[in-house]
Amino acid sequence: MMKKWCLMSCILLLITGCSKEPKVTTYHVDDDQEEIETLKSVFQNNENLSEAAGVFFDHQLVVSLQVKPLDKFKKEKIKQSIEKEVKSLFPEHDVFVSSDLKITWELKKIIEEKPTMDDLKKDLDDIQALAKEET
Amino acid sequence: MDAKTYQQTVDELAPKRPVLKNCLKAFLTGGLICAIGQCISFIYMYYFNFTERTASNPTVATMVFLAMLLTGFGVYKKIGQFGGAGSAVPVTGFGNAVISASIEHKTEGFVLGLGGNMFKLAGAVIVYGVFSAFVVALIKTLLVKMGVISW
């Protein structure tokens, strides 16, 4: 009985661990569905990602990525390829991409809170400064 | 009895070392220490303004500090007896080496005893750590200058 349960939970964990589509959350200040869908398609076509978040704000686009555990060895390469792709899709936007877990947490917090214009600008500036911090 | 037969007798009489069991114990102890370190790293990232890259510095400092406290209370000795290399290889082993050496030489005075012997064991870690960091940085600088890789 115990063995059966162990096997079952192992299989369940394996299945849930290997969900194909990455979890994508986005927020657009002007609620432009077309831009959101374009961004989402970039993430959903990439099978190395486990999670992604993006926030549009006044010609600014901040994106954060989380890659799947075994793909973490080539995290920087995946980040650069996505950065290139997003920049080519949104040439009029100032694109910022980060693969840091803290940036993902902060972006998800922003998306949940849906702040006003002024707060959002300050939050996004803070995030970008944080990502560039070296010490 | 020549040296060869003597060694044979020793091998026969000495209790067999449980290598596999020791490896498993070291794996579990080292893994647990690393898991605690990961939790501390997440705490720094969640409650403070640290990113994945910058959270490693305060995490290492905290782990070393905790290991130093545990060494002083005599707990780390027991962990070391159980885990062996699993407790010595992570950065906590460094804290343990510093404090255990200073406890041992405390009676010889603060300057020549404590100050002179504190890094008796851990000094090797610092010397080779600094030296290998220097060599790696030198190689990387050369490769960047030659245009093979970028920073």
Side-chain angles (χ1 to χ4, degrees):
Chain A
M1 192 64 188
M2 194 67 193
K3 250 185 179 169
K4 219 175 175 182
W5 272 109
C6 273
L7 200 74
M8 271 287 278
S9 48
C10 274
I11 292 171
L12 272 177
L13 276 174
L14 266 176
I15 292 171
T16 45
C18 295
S19 60
K20 263 235 165 271
E21 299 258 300
K23 227 169 75 192
V24 181
T25 40
T26 48
Y27 178 55
H28 199 303
V29 178
D30 307 323
D31 209 25
D32 187 336
Q33 284 302 324
E34 200 182 314
E35 282 187 335
I36 290 179
E37 286 306 318
T38 329
L39 187 68
K40 272 187 177 171
S41 67
V42 174
F43 300 141
Q44 268 150 5
N45 290 334
N46 198 316
E47 54 186 25
N48 299 321
L49 296 181
S50 63
E51 208 177 336
V55 174
F56 288 91
F57 168 77
D58 186 34
H59 293 291
Q60 232 183 355
L61 170 57
V62 180
V63 175
S64 78
L65 317 161
Q66 283 304 301
V67 292
K68 282 181 181 162
L70 277 178
D71 291 323
K72 286 209 169 151
F73 293 109
K74 41 182 183 174
K75 189 161 106 173
E76 201 57 32
K77 268 192 184 152
I78 295 170
K79 188 196 123 182
Q80 277 167 3
S81 77
I82 288 191
E83 191 170 4
K84 220 169 139 188
E85 203 178 335
V86 173
K87 269 183 180 163
S88 66
L89 280 173
F90 301 97
E92 73 279 10
H93 279 73
D94 191 8
V95 181
F96 180 82
V97 181
S98 171
S99 56
D100 204 289
L101 183 61
K102 172 78 175 173
I103 308 299
T104 309
W105 285 351
E106 291 291 318
L107 269 191
K108 275 162 80 182
K109 220 190 273 174
I110 288 178
I111 292 167
E112 248 172 55
E113 282 171 2
K114 296 199 190 320
T116 55
M117 285 290 244
D118 293 338
D119 286 344
L120 187 61
K121 185 171 170 26
K122 198 178 159 291
D123 285 346
L124 289 183
D125 285 348
D126 283 350
I127 281 183
Q128 289 184 39
L130 190 64
K132 280 172 193 150
E133 179 73 48
E134 298 258 352
T135 49
Chain B
M1 190 184 268
D2 62 344
K4 212 175 166 189
T5 43
Y6 175 76
Q7 191 57 46
Q8 255 178 6
T9 326
V10 168
D11 287 345
E12 275 165 26
L13 289 178
K16 232 174 155 256
R17 274 193 306 146
V19 178
L20 206 73
K21 202 175 145 198
N22 285 351
C23 285
L24 194 73
K25 276 180 176 174
F27 175 77
L28 288 177
T29 315
L32 189 70
I33 290 172
C34 295
I36 294 169
Q38 188 67 52
C39 288
I40 291 175
S41 167
F42 277 153
I43 288 171
Y44 276 120
M45 276 159 65
Y46 196 82
Y47 294 104
F48 302 95
N49 268 341
F50 287 106
T51 56
E52 240 175 316
R53 189 167 42 169
T54 55
S56 59
N57 301 336
T59 308
V60 169
T62 314
M63 288 307 281
V64 170
F65 179 71
L66 286 179
M68 285 173 161
L69 273 186
L70 290 178
T71 308
F73 295 141
V75 183
Y76 207 84
K77 195 166 66 184
K78 287 174 191 159
I79 301 173
Q81 274 166 0
F82 175 80
S87 66
V89 174
V91 78
T92 46
F94 175 80
N96 174 52
V98 173
I99 294 301
S100 56
S102 44
I103 289 172
E104 199 180 324
H105 294 279
K106 206 183 93 186
T107 46
E108 293 165 31
F110 276 109
V111 179
L112 287 178
L114 212 148
N117 294 300
M118 198 177 211
F119 290 102
K120 216 164 79 176
L121 283 168
V125 181
I126 297 175
V127 169
Y128 286 106
V130 171
F131 180 67
S132 49
F134 170 72
V135 172
V136 170
L138 198 68
I139 294 171
K140 185 151 187 189
T141 313
L142 285 176
L143 287 179
V144 170
K145 281 268 179 260
M146 282 155 65
V148 184
I149 46 168
S150 64
W151 286 112

